[in-house]
Amino acid sequence: MTDGMTVDESLRALAALEAAWKDDDEALAALAAGGADERALPALVAAYGEHAMDTLMALAFGLRSSMSDEEIAELSDAVGSTVGARMSTLLTRALKTWGELADRDDLTATRAIAHAVIDAMRAVTEDPSRTEVLPLLATFRSYALANP
């Protein structure tokens, strides 16, 4: 998995997003109580949000694995020149900072970060108001499992 996240971390973050979406405090608390060697849940959810936004922005601008280095450089320039992409970067940076500063078991921060990540993910879909969250998260879960 990219961005220094393992498949297990991605799946844990996606489970936290789903638990926050469903207002399942019991599941969120269980995820927050992870092992001592696991990243704190607020920081993990924020880091996953950054990964998801990077992925969605690349897809929105037509990134394909078959592109040449020159095409990728042109695409990077095009993405960087849009207000939406720059705002996405600012959002993910703010969420990452918040996630790193939150207490390990701060479920309020985790829930708020999770909802911001979900809203950001929905914002770059074709019809954000009609995008179903659970199928969207299932798509990201499949992607995480297919791209270790």
Side-chain angles (χ1 to χ4, degrees), residues 10-67:
S10 294
L11 295 175
R12 183 174 169 233
L14 284 160
L17 291 173
E18 186 173 326
W21 182 255
K22 292 179 171 180
D23 291 324
D24 186 345
D25 289 341
E26 188 175 317
L28 207 53
L31 290 162
D37 60 333
E38 292 181 324
R39 200 180 321 194
L41 195 58
L44 180 67
V45 170
Y48 186 80
E50 181 177 18
H51 164 73
M53 291 312 299
D54 286 349
T55 301
L56 287 169
M57 292 307 282
L59 292 173
F61 282 89
L63 179 67
R64 298 176 315 281
S65 60
S66 61
M67 292 177 115

Side-chain angles (χ1 to χ4, degrees), residues 96-145:
K96 187 173 181 179
T97 300
W98 184 13
E100 290 171 353
L101 295 175
D103 289 334
R104 178 173 191 82
D105 58 353
D106 187 346
L107 296 186
T108 301
T110 302
R111 208 173 3 266
I113 292 167
H115 279 276
V117 168
I118 290 168
D119 290 345
M121 291 166 80
R122 291 174 77 192
V124 297
T125 63
E126 253 183 65
D127 189 354
S129 66
R130 293 193 174 160
T131 299
E132 295 288 330
V133 171
L134 297 179
L136 179 65
L137 295 178
T139 299
F140 272 88
R141 189 172 291 109
S142 295
Y143 178 80
L145 291 169

Side-chain angles (χ1 to χ4, degrees), residues 88-100:
S88 172
T89 300
L90 291 173
L91 169 67
T92 57
R93 189 177 310 144
L95 290 176
K96 187 173 181 179
T97 300
W98 184 13
E100 290 171 353

